[in-house]
Amino acid sequence: MLRPTAPDDTEALIELTADTGFFKPIELEALREVLDDYHAANRDLGHRSFVWEEGGRILGYVYHAPAPMTDRTWYVYWIAVSKDQQGRGLGRQILEFVEQDVRDQNGRLLLIETSSTAHYNPTRRFYLKNGYVLAANIPDFYSDGDGLIVFSKRLIPAAG
Ligand SMILES: CC(C)(COP(=O)(O)OP(=O)(O)OC[C@H]1O[C@@H](n2cnc3c(N)ncnc32)[C@H](O)[C@@H]1OP(=O)(O)O)[C@@H](O)C(=O)NCCC(=O)NCCS
């Protein structure tokens, strides 16, 4: 089940993320920094992270946080499910949890960034299946041929 991410989870989360085959070495380094900063300070500044654990094994996790300088916009910065556990609904349940967690904090809009490459087709399909809409597409953002796709979901109706 879902529980708050603990400092002792870092190695398991990096291994899980690496094993998905979806992240570059520089992104795995960034994940370690993000988790270290989370436990050092960012958790107290409102960042959120949770792991899905079954039988003592971490099967998935998520990291979400407020988008700076916005009125209650949030980002899902990291979400991943173990390669051998994908496709059985964990990702959907983790996203549903995040959406309610953000709503509980009066969050308004949730954004998720991903890649435009073919490798991420299943991932983009996952976000579309879960009601996210394409909000932006910046070709060649990460590198030539690897664009930035931004998905969004309103969590509360627009004012007025
Ligand atoms: C994207 C991800 C978090 C989705 O979690 P999940 O538990 O596999 O997803 P669910 O089981 O809840 O939903 C299944 C849907 O997700 C999509 N999907 C994405 N990757 C999939 C996979 N490897 N296996 C099966 N379905 C997958 C499909 O659209 C599927 O629906 P469909 O079979 O009806 O087409 C997970 O597959 C993952 O960790 N992928 C690699 C890392 C990644 O891309 N993270 C996000 C970076 S922005």
Side-chain angles (χ1 to χ4, degrees):
M1 289 314 148
L2 276 165
R3 64 163 174 78
T5 301
D8 289 350
D9 297 328
T10 296
E11 294 312 322
L13 296 182
I14 291 172
E15 190 179 329
L16 180 159
T17 308
D19 289 349
T20 65
F22 273 69
F23 299 89
K24 307 180 187 94
I26 193 171
E27 292 168 322
L28 298 172
E29 284 171 32
L31 176 59
R32 183 182 296 282
E33 288 169 22
V34 163
L35 292 169
D36 290 349
D37 294 348
Y38 174 71
H39 297 298
N42 288 336
R43 181 178 45 208
D44 299 336
L45 296 174
H47 290 208
R48 314 276 287 167
S49 184
F50 296 84
V51 301
W52 184 292
E53 188 173 37
E54 285 180 17
R57 182 188 164 202
I58 294 175
L59 304 184
Y61 74 98
V62 68
Y63 188 111
H64 52 292
M69 296 176 285
T70 69
D71 169 25
R72 297 169 295 138
T73 297
W74 286 65
Y75 272 108
V76 172
Y77 283 111
W78 293 86
I79 184 168
V81 169
S82 282
K83 194 174 176 71
D84 66 345
Q85 301 290 323
Q86 292 172 3
R88 59 167 263 217
L90 292 187
R92 175 180 49 74
Q93 293 175 75
I94 293 172
L95 268 187
E96 286 171 357
F97 169 82
V98 169
E99 292 163 13
Q100 192 52 49
D101 185 55
V102 173
R103 279 193 198 92
D104 292 346
Q105 295 165 79
N106 201 23
R108 190 176 52 86
L109 182 67
L110 190 56
L111 302 179
I112 308 177
E113 296 183 353
T114 191
S115 160
S116 67
T117 61
H119 192 48
Y120 280 82
N121 278 345
T123 303
R124 295 193 302 275
R125 208 170 54 237
F126 167 72
Y127 294 134
L128 293 168
K129 252 190 88 159
N130 286 283
Y132 288 78
V133 298
L134 177 64
N137 177 353
I138 304 176
D140 306 324
F141 176 81
Y142 295 106
S143 63
D144 286 343
D146 186 356
L148 168 64
I149 302 287
V150 182
F151 286 104
S152 69
K153 184 185 256 189
R154 286 208 67 99
L155 299 179
I156 56 176

